[in-house]
DNA sequence: CGCTGCCTTGATCTTCTTCAAAACGTGTGG
DNA sequence: CCACACGTTTTGAAGAAGATCAAGGCAGCG
């Protein structure tokens, strides 16, 4: 209302093009897939990756493309969509450094079933399915970690599915904002800024509502003092208040 | 309308209590987790499983319980729910022999995040998390297969999420019936019978609608000659017709 | 300054839920 | 074998939540 902020979202991206060898090694070492490995193993795995850069809004892979690679986000953010041609679009997730997308298992002729778009300039680590398969076979620890990672993703999917199926738009919105805040949040003027470019439309696409409804709900939350927001950004002021909204099924 | 059928759903369950050693070996050999292993390996893995029986409608594990085991369905059917206390319930899936539930990865103090209920008398193979972890480490092939299985489950979840978020009740219903038909179907009088006890209420809980809406939609489908159904059962007469409904977003 | 693309807001309309009650099927015990 | 009682299914009418349609406002940018 009173004084408006400029968009406070910072770019997390490094330079698009270069992932120095040291940076790559550090990324791989810290990636959830490869934690607790010997330096030698890290090097061996590192040699199987290539790094690739994408500038903001470029499509990295498209649903239906031949699925032959696994990607790990190194710097920047990637938006993962489930589209399916016929109109229904869902923004599944916004991936941050360390998270993966693409084909984790695929042998034989499979297709990507999601579309990935660079939400800002990013650097990605790319490994072919065959090479990843070799890594899994050679390093049982990595396989076990991969199983864990996927297992968490399944659990998260179930949670979202339940919300999509059973809860009100307001409830889902509050839940989504909290989740984005936890995942992408950065302290900012005493609030928790969701440090990613998120339009009302994208917000809507993450929880199956329309842009207009998303806008109305964001306005309402802002009026209640739960959040603060502008064009393309949202910061969370009162997480407790939001949490209460995610629990009230009845209202 | 004219002539009503008795419920034609057959029980798939063997005797609740006994999974003979031979049966167990066969089940493990044919389970997607352990395909293409040597007989010796099968025996080694088999020795790590226990078999347990549950009679119809018994709760096998509850959300929030200590997650220490992985289960594979041997005979019968298991319903997997995501409930979460506060009212929103989603029936995630109906599992048939060969499918798994429970904790696939869990080390440390984790909890089940789903509830599993025996949909009919069933026999399950149970393995502790530690033992499964050992199996994964000792048999890289199993780890790779596990990664694939989970990866497919993630994909399926994304599909359901998109439908829950974007499509009409009718569209989702048609999609669900086709899916259940493919998964649990058995030829019957020239139709494809969904060979599982599925009430209108459960149908509704799988796609986030109310019992009443599910009932209305089932009636409509029946009137259109797409399906045939009675209390607790549904058979698909015209899959092509249903498929068309899952594609029309606009109508 | 004015353009373009997000965001907001309002009015209307559709879909689905909710509440209520009746009809039906199925298993039970007489 | 019949009658009854229970849980499921069906159907109706009213209501609410959200989608849709249509303008208008505001921010950022050339």
């Amino acid at each position: 209302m009173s004084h408006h902020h400029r968009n406070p979202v910072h770019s997390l991206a490094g330079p698009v093009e270069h992932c120095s060898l040291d940076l790559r090694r550090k990324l791989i070492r810290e990636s959830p897939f490869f934690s607790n490995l010997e330096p030698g193993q890290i090097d061996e795995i590192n040699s199987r990756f290539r790094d690739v850069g994408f500038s903001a809004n470029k499509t990295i892979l498209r649903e239906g493309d031949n699925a032959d690679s696994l990607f790990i986000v190194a710097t920047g953010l990637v938006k993962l969509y489930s589209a399916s041609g016929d109109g229904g679009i869902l923004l599944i997730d916004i991936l941050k450094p360390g998270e993966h997308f693409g084909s984790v298992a695929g042998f034989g002729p499979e297709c990507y079933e999601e579309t990935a778009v660079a939400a800002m300039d990013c650097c990605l680590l790319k490994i072919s399915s065959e090479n990843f398969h070799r890594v899994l076979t050679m390093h049982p620890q990595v396989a076990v970690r991969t199983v864990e990672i996927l297992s968490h993703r399944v659990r998260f999917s179930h949670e979202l599915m339940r919300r999509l199926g059973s809860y009100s738009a307001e409830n889902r919105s509050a839940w989504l904002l909290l989740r984005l805040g936890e995942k992408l949040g950065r302290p900012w003027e005493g609030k928790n800024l969701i440090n990613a470019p998120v339009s009302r439309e994208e917000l809507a696409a993450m929880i199956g509502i329309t842009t207009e409804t998303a806008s109305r709900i964001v306005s309402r939350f802002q009026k209640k003092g739960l959040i603060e927001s502008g064009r393309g950004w949202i910061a969370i002021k009162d997480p407790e208040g939001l949490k209460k909204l995610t629990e009230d099924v009845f209202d």
Side-chain angles (χ1 to χ4, degrees), chain A:
Chain A
M1 291 290 166
S2 41
H3 60 93
H4 288 150
H5 285 289
R6 246 194 156 50
N7 185 334
V9 174
H10 291 354
S11 172
L12 290 171
V16 181
E17 297 310 337
H18 88 302
C19 271
S20 72
L21 203 64
D22 274 355
L23 179 56
R24 279 182 51 165
R25 235 194 304 259
K26 176 174 140 63
L27 287 165
I28 288 176
R29 187 165 6 96
E30 291 178 356
S31 153
F33 284 96
F34 308 114
S35 54
N36 300 324
L37 292 182
E38 308 291 322
Q41 294 176 305
I42 297 281
D43 284 339
E44 194 276 328
I45 289 167
N46 183 28
S47 70
R48 296 179 184 274
F49 275 96
R50 290 195 300 120
D51 50 315
V52 289
F54 284 87
S55 47
N57 297 318
K58 291 290 179 210
T59 299
I60 300 161
L61 56 86
R62 208 178 296 271
E63 185 180 347
D65 286 357
N66 221 352
D68 58 359
S69 296
L70 171 70
F71 295 82
I72 294 176
V73 181
T75 64
L77 293 172
V78 171
K79 287 176 181 155
L80 202 60
Y81 292 92
S82 172
S84 181
D86 58 3
I89 293 184
L90 192 77
L91 174 46
I92 298 174
D93 206 356
I94 299 178
L95 305 178
K96 67 176 178 180
E99 296 194 289
H100 72 100
F101 62 97
S103 164
V104 80
F107 320 103
E110 293 196 9
C111 289
Y112 294 125
E113 306 218 349
E114 298 96 22
T115 296
V117 178
M120 55 175 70
D121 292 350
C122 20
C123 178
L124 308 172
L125 302 181
K126 180 178 183 177
I127 187 171
S128 71
S129 294
E130 298 84 36
N131 266 321
F132 190 64
H133 181 259
R134 262 172 233 132
V135 170
L136 286 181
T137 309
M138 292 169 58
H139 306 280
Q141 293 174 58
V142 175
V144 171
R145 298 288 293 130
T146 304
V147 168
E148 284 181 340
I149 290 166
L150 287 175
S151 166
H152 282 301
R153 218 173 241 209
V154 170
R155 287 179 174 203
F156 161 71
S157 297
H158 290 172
E159 165 90 9
L160 178 52
M161 274 160 44
R162 197 182 63 244
R163 300 224 165 244
L164 285 172
S166 318
Y167 296 118
S168 72
E170 186 168 292
N171 185 308
R172 282 181 273 166
S173 301
W175 174 78
L176 174 63
L177 292 178
L178 283 176
R179 202 175 75 70
L180 291 178
E182 275 172 33
K183 178 167 178 175
L184 305 170
R186 175 169 66 78
W188 171 77
E189 300 192 359
K191 298 137 205 157
N192 186 26
L193 175 71
I194 293 171
N195 200 28
V198 199
S199 68
R200 302 289 183 268
E201 190 175 2
E202 287 168 322
L203 225 49
M206 296 188 85
I207 51 178
I209 60 180
T210 59
T211 308
E212 293 93 329
T213 301
S215 176
R216 281 182 245 267
I217 288 174
V218 167
S219 301
R220 207 184 309 156
F221 284 177
Q222 191 153 12
K223 232 166 263 157
K224 288 197 204 166
L226 297 168
I227 63 173
E228 193 167 326
S229 83
R231 174 174 289 231
W233 63 272
I234 295 181
I236 292 162
K237 265 164 112 167
D238 179 6
E240 292 309 317
L242 284 176
K243 192 146 208 295
K244 237 174 110 256
L245 289 181
T246 68
E247 286 158 1
D248 289 350
V249 186
F250 326 95
D251 82 74

